[in-house]
Structures are given as C-alpha cells and as structure tokens.
Amino acid sequence: MNYHLNHLRELEAESIFVIREVAAQFENPVILFSGGKDSILLTWLAKKAFHPARIPFPIMHIDTGHNFPETIAYRDAWVQELGVKLVVASVQEAIDQGMVQEEKGYNASRNGLQTAALLHAIEKHKFDVALGGGRRDEEKARAKERFFSHRDEFGQWDPKNQRPELWNLFNGKKHIGEHFRVFPISNWTELDVWQYLASEQVSLPNLYFSHRRLCFQRDGVIMAMSDFINLKPHEQTLEMIVRFRTIGDMTCTGAVLSNAANLDDVIAEVATSRITERGGRSDDKRSETSMEDRKKQGYF
Amino acid sequence: MHQIIEKFTKQKTDADLLRFTTAGSVDDGKSTLIGRLLYDSKAIFEDQLDAVRAATERRGEEGINLALLTDGLRAEREQGITIDVAYRYFATPKRKFIIADTPGHIQYTRNMVTGASTANVALILIDARHGVVEQTRRHAIIASLLQIPHLVVCINKMDLVEYSEATYETIKDEFYHFCSKLDIKDVHFIPISALNGDNVVEKSEQMLWYGGTTLMYYLENVHIGSDHNLIDCRFPVQYVIRPNTDAFHDYRGYAGRIAGGVFKKGDTVMVMPSGFTSKIRQINTFEGEIEEAFPPMSVTLLLEDDLDISRGDMLVRENNVPESAQDVDVMLCWFNEKPLLPSKKYLVLHTSREVRCMIKDIRYKLDINTLHRNLEDREIRMNDIARVQMRTTQPLFCDPYRRNRITGSIILVDEGTHETVAAGMII
C-alpha cells in the first residue's frame, strides 16, 4: 500500500481540517457565499467536513442588487441542496438607511459598499467568524493572509500585525466584539479549484461556460450589458461568445472571449492562460494596493 | 489542446504537493530566483508582469523589480523589504509547489520559523562571492531546529565568480563543516546563477564540471514520501459529529486529521487520557467507508463502544503511546514584543488540546548565529530561541518534535491580548 495523497486530496484534507477547527473553536460561524466557484468549493468542502451531519452554520450572501440573475438562481438551488439557512445582507438596504453612499459616474460600482453591508450583518447576527473563499494566489495582498485572520471591533485587518501561524495550530482567541475571517482554501490555485471541481463533478453556474451574450468594451475589458450599466456615448453593444473566469457584480466583472463549453475546456484554457483570473476585475485596478486597502477596512 | 488536457488529468492523479521555504535579504538574489521559478513554470501572468513593470517604472527603477511580485503589502513596497511570510504557488506536471517566502534578517527570525514549520524542503541561498555568512548559518540552524527534512543549498551568482568549480567546492566544504554540528539529514548543493538561469530549470552550459541536477529537477524529484510519521498512531480528536437525524440517530463520529501512523478498520485503539479501549468500527469519509487512514488525511472514526470522548482527547494504539506529561522541555521561539514572564500563565495550544502553563526554568538561550548556549542572559525577548521547561495544568499527550512535527509542536497564547507569543518544539 502506498501511503500517499495527491495534491488535490492533500489540499482537501487541509481545508476540511480548517473548517472543522472553526466549528470547534467558534460559537456562531457563517460562510460567505458569492455564487462564484471559490465559494461553491468552500461550501462543498464544508459539506464533506461534517458528513453525514448537515453543515452546522448558515450561509450569507452580500447582495449588491447588481448580481447576475444566474448567480441568484444558482444560490437558491445550492442552499436548498445543502439544507442550510441562507442569510442575505443587502447593500440596497444599507444605501436606503444612509449607511453608505452610492458611487456616481460611469464606473460606479457597489463593490466597495459590500464592506459596510458585510460588517453590519456580522454585527447584527453576532457572527464571531466568517469563512470566505479567498485564495493566496489571487492577489498580492491575499498572499499575506492567514488561514485564521483576526479582525478588530471595527472589522479591520492589520496586515503588519498578524498572528504568526505555524504547523496546524490555529489561534482563534478574541475579545468580545472582534471577529475572525477564516480562509480554508488559502493554498488552492485557480487551476487546483477547476481540477477538483471537475473531478468531483460539482455542478456550476453556466456563466463559467461559453455562451452568447450582449457585451460592450470598456478600458480593454469586455463587460456584460445590463440595466446597471450606463454606456458612454462612443460605447456600443455587441453579441459575443464569452464566459466569465470570476463572478462578481455585473458592474465590475469582465468576460473573456471563449469557446470553453465544459470543464475540460475550461481547465485547458486556464492551464494555458497568460492573464490572471482577476485581470478582468476593475475593482482591483483602482490602485496598486486596492485589495489591501479594501481588506484593511473589512472587505472579504 | 488534447495533450494539455491529458497532461493535467495526469497531474490530477499522481502529482503530489511539496512545500518549501526560502529566506533571504534584498541582495542575495532570492527574489530573482523565485521570479525565475515562477516565470519559467508559467506561474507569472502577463498582467502581473505588466503591473510590476509599471510599478518599477513609477519608482524610477530600471528593468523589472521582481521583488514587487512577492512584496505585496504597501509598507513592504514602500520600504523595499519583505516583512511577512508570503506564499507563492507554481506547478509542473510532476508536482505542485508552495513557497513560503520569508525575510532573512535576524529581526524576522519569527517569520522564518513560521515559514519553516510546514516545509518539506529548505532552500538556502549563498552568494558565491561571500561564501557562508552569518545569515546562511542562521537559516540552516532554523531549518535544523524546525526539522525540515531536506536542505538544498544554492550557491548563487556563479556568473560573478567566473563559474569557478574551486569556489563552489570551497563553499561546499565550509557549509558541510558547519552543518555537521546540526541535526540535518539530507543536504544537496547546486551551483546556480538565478539571473542568467544557470542550473535553475536548464542545465548550465557554463559549468560542465557540475554533474548534478538542476534546482527544478531536484524540487520535482526529491523524495518526500517518508516525511510523515507512518509508525506511531496518533489521532487527536478535533470535533464530534452527531447528525441528530432519524437516519443517523446513534451516529457519533470522531472527526480529525491523522497526525501519525496508519489506522485500520478493526484496530484496537486506546483513548487518552481515559485509558479506555475500543475497536475502530468504521473509518468514514464523504466518499464512503475506507479500510485505512494515514497522515495527513481528514477522516471520521466510529468506535464499537460508546465511550466519553471529546475534543482534546487522543486515540492511539495500546502498545505505542505518546508521553503524557505535565513537565515538558521545549525549544521555544519567542514572537512577541513583550518579553517572556516566567511567573505569568500562558495558554498552550497542542494538537486539539488547550491547557495553561508556566515557564518554570529557562535552561539556556541559543545564539541563532553560532549555536552558542548562553547560560547567563535569561531574558527571553522577541526573536530569541531558548530551551525552557514548562509546567502545564493538564497533561499533554506528546512526542518529541524530532519524531512527529504535529504531536511535538505547541504555540503559546497570551491570555490578555490573545496574541500568539511563542512557538515551541518539544524535546
């Protein structure tokens, strides 16, 4: 007998360990769910971690009101399949209550506003830990992120003062009012996620596969046309064959021209791609350290 | 296209995962080397390279500053230094790699220790012009203390010493001489030029006298199959699964990750601390029942008998038990700005167990550059490494760190601030 795990099984074992550690160390956890492949993977691993019991935490979606309709449909079906409770935190409500101000202009996005809605929901529901699908290979500030990441009473991340994390010993100690963000799939790369989801035959939103869609181009990025978009005078819409590599808001998620119609095609495309998956995310392009700046304030 | 799919489907079944750590300062070429490994394995993307190129230009520097790829935090980019551990990923068809990239300066010893804690391989860089320096010794000592199973020493900047075999041999001898005092099992030397790519991925045309492998070949082929302890059965209970549904009414599963040995269905196991024994009725995973489980698998064990078992307990074999101790000797690395207070109580996290402790005795402080044991200075400050004796409120079920990195390691937590103030290796 060869006592050896391949890399995907080893990553899976590590993630399951981290998810169970959350259940053991915290009182009131919640899983953040965006409808993207990483949060689908995270919930899939959580299902495995507690099998045959149900996932012992609710799932929370921060609803910007600018979602792809496909995301909402997938979310509702997925929650039903898992048999877990869904909590929706609405950015629209936060705007209506005057907690945040809507951005103006052509590139207006509710991406940044999600932070306020998220922190408000964490406080309201008294969640002491939020599990997220962040990965270290996504972005340079995320590369410095811990599995167990401490947030102060304002929900802020202090990247220069993080707790050292060694072996598989995770320190989730905190004062009242503080909380944690936990990232069980920290060590997965984009390709790992696709290979694993393919081998596990997890069903995914069709946004990830090539389809015909009305699009337009802005700053070199292909965007989906929707009611949330104000076209500039010279911009024109065009039908294209596209798919999405990440799924965020309709206002900030870029599409790629692609004929990848199934998971094998997607894996082949990812394996040969020379552009990062977040290359189409205008929210990351606002400055050199925009992810770090948002994370310090309490972003995912 | 078809070939690529085949290549990655192949990787899916037999590629394994290798974690390695590097440490280094600004000048020794560490960033260049990592940049090259990432670039040559196509783990750097064009938009990342464009962003780094633009950022380099904005700073008025020339060329491409690859350090900007790994130094992601604003403070690091401003100061041009690596502060924290950064994790980087790349893959070849043979293996997936995780690099824990750490700063090399003595004030970041704690970060080096952190990066080293999970590594299979330590990559040590030596500047061929300078030979073995203080920093080299420090990295090797940390690798030895943290029991990283394999050490690969890259003698870099060979292009600046005219690719001289004599220089390489001198440095190699010097390092061998020094590391004979350390507890290092497996050392490998490679002469490279990270800048020109000699012996990194491609064999060097300039050093035909070198008959060994390239760094990439080494990383792809070093044997890590025996890095886990497969002998001493250790299962720290992490969480108890109780579905409370009609279908699984009496289900009581002990969830956890195998920390050592191979557990088989039907094995008699003993519970620590209670001492009760039972048989393994089932080893469960989401995919169904399996016959045996080994490190680092996460599984759920079901026993024949209904025993009182909870988080913090450990399942072992009757004839091979860990030490159950309240007086534990530990090699401690101090992480916190506030020095160790011997009279203070600290929380100890060990496997899934949590107890409190006091440091009873500081036996000596270790000079991390020379291995000298300092018996006089007993004040343990940030980045110090010291051998101490601690007394715990409850017993720990532990093995020497040399024997098992999971059951042999602890962290200390300050009960007031909740910060992780130290990491320890049980002796």
Side-chain angles (χ1 to χ4, degrees), chain B residues 43-66:
Chain B
I44 295 180
F45 296 93
E46 276 165 18
D47 53 330
Q48 281 176 315
L49 212 55
D50 286 347
V52 168
R53 198 177 282 129
T56 311
E57 247 178 57
R58 258 201 306 283
R59 295 152 160 266
E61 297 166 4
E62 282 181 25
I64 297 177
N65 183 351
L66 282 173

Short mmCIF file of all heavy atoms in Angstrom, two decimals, chain B residues 43-66:
data_model
loop_
_atom_site.label_atom_id
_atom_site.label_comp_id
_atom_site.label_asym_id
_atom_site.label_seq_id
_atom_site.Cartn_x
_atom_site.Cartn_y
_atom_site.Cartn_z
N ALA B 43 3.97 30.51 -13.95
CA ALA B 43 3.06 30.88 -12.87
C ALA B 43 2.94 32.39 -12.73
O ALA B 43 2.15 32.89 -11.96
CB ALA B 43 3.52 30.27 -11.55
N ILE B 44 3.75 33.13 -13.49
CA ILE B 44 3.57 34.58 -13.53
C ILE B 44 2.79 34.90 -14.79
O ILE B 44 3.09 34.40 -15.86
CB ILE B 44 4.92 35.32 -13.58
CG1 ILE B 44 5.70 35.08 -12.30
CG2 ILE B 44 4.70 36.82 -13.76
CD1 ILE B 44 7.03 35.77 -12.28
N PHE B 45 1.80 35.74 -14.65
CA PHE B 45 0.95 36.05 -15.78
C PHE B 45 1.34 37.39 -16.38
O PHE B 45 1.99 38.21 -15.74
CB PHE B 45 -0.51 36.06 -15.34
CG PHE B 45 -0.97 34.72 -14.88
CD1 PHE B 45 -0.91 34.38 -13.54
CD2 PHE B 45 -1.45 33.79 -15.77
CE1 PHE B 45 -1.32 33.14 -13.11
CE2 PHE B 45 -1.87 32.55 -15.35
CZ PHE B 45 -1.80 32.21 -14.01
N GLU B 46 0.92 37.58 -17.62
CA GLU B 46 1.31 38.79 -18.33
C GLU B 46 0.83 40.05 -17.64
O GLU B 46 1.54 41.03 -17.55
CB GLU B 46 0.80 38.74 -19.78
CG GLU B 46 1.73 37.96 -20.69
CD GLU B 46 1.06 37.58 -22.01
OE1 GLU B 46 0.04 38.20 -22.34
OE2 GLU B 46 1.57 36.67 -22.67
N ASP B 47 -0.42 40.01 -17.12
CA ASP B 47 -0.92 41.24 -16.49
C ASP B 47 -0.18 41.53 -15.18
O ASP B 47 0.02 42.67 -14.80
CB ASP B 47 -2.44 41.20 -16.28
CG ASP B 47 -2.92 39.98 -15.54
OD1 ASP B 47 -2.29 38.91 -15.66
OD2 ASP B 47 -3.95 40.07 -14.85
N GLN B 48 0.27 40.45 -14.49
CA GLN B 48 1.07 40.66 -13.28
C GLN B 48 2.41 41.30 -13.65
O GLN B 48 2.88 42.22 -12.99
CB GLN B 48 1.35 39.33 -12.58
CG GLN B 48 0.20 38.83 -11.76
CD GLN B 48 0.51 37.46 -11.18
OE1 GLN B 48 1.02 36.58 -11.87
NE2 GLN B 48 0.19 37.29 -9.91
N LEU B 49 2.98 40.79 -14.73
CA LEU B 49 4.27 41.30 -15.18
C LEU B 49 4.15 42.76 -15.62
O LEU B 49 4.99 43.59 -15.32
CB LEU B 49 4.78 40.42 -16.33
CG LEU B 49 6.27 40.24 -16.45
CD1 LEU B 49 6.87 39.71 -15.17
CD2 LEU B 49 6.61 39.29 -17.60
N ASP B 50 3.05 43.06 -16.32
CA ASP B 50 2.79 44.44 -16.74
C ASP B 50 2.67 45.36 -15.53
O ASP B 50 3.22 46.45 -15.52
CB ASP B 50 1.49 44.52 -17.57
CG ASP B 50 1.69 43.95 -18.97
OD1 ASP B 50 2.86 43.74 -19.37
OD2 ASP B 50 0.68 43.72 -19.66
N ALA B 51 1.94 44.88 -14.51
CA ALA B 51 1.74 45.69 -13.31
C ALA B 51 3.07 45.94 -12.60
O ALA B 51 3.34 47.05 -12.14
CB ALA B 51 0.74 45.01 -12.37
N VAL B 52 3.90 44.90 -12.54
CA VAL B 52 5.21 45.04 -11.89
C VAL B 52 6.11 45.98 -12.71
O VAL B 52 6.81 46.83 -12.16
CB VAL B 52 5.88 43.66 -11.70
CG1 VAL B 52 7.33 43.82 -11.31
CG2 VAL B 52 5.13 42.86 -10.65
N ARG B 53 6.04 45.82 -14.02
CA ARG B 53 6.84 46.67 -14.90
C ARG B 53 6.45 48.14 -14.69
O ARG B 53 7.31 49.01 -14.52
CB ARG B 53 6.63 46.26 -16.37
CG ARG B 53 7.70 46.77 -17.30
CD ARG B 53 7.48 46.27 -18.73
NE ARG B 53 7.90 44.89 -18.94
CZ ARG B 53 7.15 43.95 -19.49
NH1 ARG B 53 5.91 44.22 -19.88
NH2 ARG B 53 7.61 42.73 -19.66
N ALA B 54 5.15 48.40 -14.64
CA ALA B 54 4.65 49.78 -14.46
C ALA B 54 5.06 50.32 -13.09
O ALA B 54 5.49 51.46 -12.96
CB ALA B 54 3.14 49.81 -14.61
N ALA B 55 4.94 49.46 -12.06
CA ALA B 55 5.29 49.89 -10.71
C ALA B 55 6.79 50.18 -10.61
O ALA B 55 7.21 51.13 -9.95
CB ALA B 55 4.88 48.83 -9.69
N THR B 56 7.60 49.37 -11.30
CA THR B 56 9.04 49.59 -11.30
C THR B 56 9.37 50.94 -11.93
O THR B 56 10.17 51.71 -11.42
CB THR B 56 9.77 48.46 -12.09
OG1 THR B 56 9.28 47.20 -11.64
CG2 THR B 56 11.26 48.52 -11.88
N GLU B 57 8.69 51.21 -13.04
CA GLU B 57 8.92 52.46 -13.75
C GLU B 57 8.54 53.67 -12.91
O GLU B 57 9.28 54.63 -12.82
CB GLU B 57 8.06 52.47 -15.03
CG GLU B 57 8.89 52.41 -16.30
CD GLU B 57 7.98 52.36 -17.51
OE1 GLU B 57 7.13 53.29 -17.68
OE2 GLU B 57 8.09 51.37 -18.25
N ARG B 58 7.36 53.55 -12.26
CA ARG B 58 6.89 54.64 -11.40
C ARG B 58 7.90 54.99 -10.33
O ARG B 58 8.01 56.11 -9.88
CB ARG B 58 5.58 54.23 -10.72
CG ARG B 58 4.35 54.83 -11.37
CD ARG B 58 3.17 54.85 -10.43
NE ARG B 58 2.85 53.57 -9.84
CZ ARG B 58 2.22 52.59 -10.48
NH1 ARG B 58 1.84 52.76 -11.73
NH2 ARG B 58 1.94 51.46 -9.88
N ARG B 59 8.65 53.96 -9.88
CA ARG B 59 9.63 54.19 -8.83
C ARG B 59 10.95 54.71 -9.39
O ARG B 59 11.90 54.89 -8.65
CB ARG B 59 9.91 52.87 -8.11
CG ARG B 59 8.73 52.36 -7.39
CD ARG B 59 8.79 50.87 -7.29
NE ARG B 59 7.91 50.47 -6.22
CZ ARG B 59 8.30 50.27 -4.98
NH1 ARG B 59 9.57 50.35 -4.66
NH2 ARG B 59 7.45 49.96 -4.06
N GLY B 60 10.99 54.85 -10.71
CA GLY B 60 12.20 55.35 -11.32
C GLY B 60 13.33 54.33 -11.33
O GLY B 60 14.49 54.66 -11.43
N GLU B 61 12.96 53.03 -11.20
CA GLU B 61 13.99 51.98 -11.25
C GLU B 61 14.06 51.42 -12.66
O GLU B 61 13.15 51.60 -13.46
CB GLU B 61 13.63 50.86 -10.26
CG GLU B 61 13.61 51.31 -8.82
CD GLU B 61 12.93 50.30 -7.89
OE1 GLU B 61 12.54 49.22 -8.36
OE2 GLU B 61 12.79 50.62 -6.72
N GLU B 62 15.15 50.71 -12.91
CA GLU B 62 15.31 50.14 -14.24
C GLU B 62 14.93 48.66 -14.26
O GLU B 62 14.97 47.99 -13.23
CB GLU B 62 16.75 50.31 -14.71
CG GLU B 62 17.01 51.73 -15.19
CD GLU B 62 18.43 51.91 -15.68
OE1 GLU B 62 19.05 50.90 -16.08
OE2 GLU B 62 18.91 53.05 -15.66
N GLY B 63 14.60 48.17 -15.44
CA GLY B 63 14.28 46.74 -15.60
C GLY B 63 12.98 46.39 -14.92
O GLY B 63 12.09 47.22 -14.78
N ILE B 64 12.89 45.14 -14.49
CA ILE B 64 11.69 44.70 -13.78
C ILE B 64 12.09 44.27 -12.39
O ILE B 64 12.91 43.37 -12.22
CB ILE B 64 11.02 43.51 -14.52
CG1 ILE B 64 10.57 43.96 -15.91
CG2 ILE B 64 9.83 43.00 -13.72
CD1 ILE B 64 9.98 42.83 -16.73
N ASN B 65 11.53 44.92 -11.37
CA ASN B 65 11.84 44.58 -9.99
C ASN B 65 10.94 43.44 -9.54
O ASN B 65 9.81 43.65 -9.11
CB ASN B 65 11.66 45.82 -9.12
CG ASN B 65 12.04 45.56 -7.68
OD1 ASN B 65 12.28 44.41 -7.30
ND2 ASN B 65 12.09 46.61 -6.89
N LEU B 66 11.46 42.20 -9.66
CA LEU B 66 10.62 41.02 -9.38
C LEU B 66 10.20 40.94 -7.91
O LEU B 66 9.24 40.27 -7.57
CB LEU B 66 11.34 39.73 -9.78
CG LEU B 66 11.31 39.43 -11.28
CD1 LEU B 66 12.20 38.25 -11.59
CD2 LEU B 66 9.91 39.17 -11.78
#
